[in-house]
Amino acid sequence: GWTISALGSKYTTKTDGEATGGAYSLVEEELWGDPTPLHLHTREEEAFYVLSGRLAVWVDGTEQVAEPGAFLLVPRGVPHAARRVTDEPVRMLTLVSPSGLQRFFESVVREGEEELLAHPERLAALAAEFGSEILGDYPNL
């Protein structure tokens, strides 16, 4: 698949949903940057299978640390965020159902990540176009 880098992660698309009739997309993600903001998806379920590294995931009020082999499911509408526990990148498979969320990251690259990060309201508006709501920073940091 093709690879893009955006918002602290490198994403290699394994299927964008075309082969699955839009049922799901699968991306190999390498999280190397800052924690993700607290956010939710109004359209998609998201699942993570950790391949390497240690990942703290805050889901609906509880933080868990996931190590290689861990599987985490985040239902649509549930606030969540993720961060690396160590300095090492975290590699994981990210399954999103239905497909389409990867277009948000493609739009970030197209519109210019630095410009969007300098204007968080524009990033939040772009996320909303793709059914995501940014709620704030990673909790308790």
Side-chain angles (χ1 to χ4, degrees):
W2 64 93
T3 299
I4 63 169
S5 289
L7 303 175
S9 286
K10 180 173 80 172
Y11 303 92
T12 302
T13 299
K14 302 302 183 180
T15 181
D16 62 2
E18 188 173 321
T20 67
Y24 65 88
S25 60
L26 180 65
V27 173
E28 183 176 342
E29 181 176 349
E30 182 178 296
L31 174 63
W32 47 263
D34 294 331
T36 68
L38 181 63
H39 64 284
L40 61 82
H41 306 290
T42 62
R43 303 175 194 159
E44 300 92 2
E45 267 76 42
E46 205 170 18
F48 306 97
Y49 181 80
V50 179
L51 298 170
S52 64
R54 295 181 68 219
L55 180 73
V57 180
W58 193 94
V59 178
D60 203 20
T62 303
E63 184 178 60
Q64 304 175 56
V65 174
E67 299 190 357
F71 177 80
L72 302 159
L73 177 64
V74 181
R76 86 184 58 181
V78 173
H80 61 287
R83 66 180 177 85
R84 292 175 295 125
V85 175
T86 65
D87 290 336
E88 300 299 316
V90 176
R91 283 185 49 246
M92 57 192 159
L93 294 175
T94 303
L95 181 73
V96 178
S97 177
S99 67
L101 186 59
Q102 73 279 359
R103 289 192 291 274
F104 165 68
F105 298 103
E106 294 166 1
S107 293
V108 167
V109 170
R110 198 170 36 256
E111 293 198 23
E113 180 175 347
E114 287 184 27
E115 179 68 20
L116 289 168
L117 290 174
H119 299 93
E121 68 284 353
R122 288 183 50 205
L123 180 61
L126 180 64
E129 290 179 30
F130 291 91
S132 297
E133 184 178 338
I134 298 174
L135 304 171
D137 292 333
Y138 190 99
N140 305 321
L141 281 185

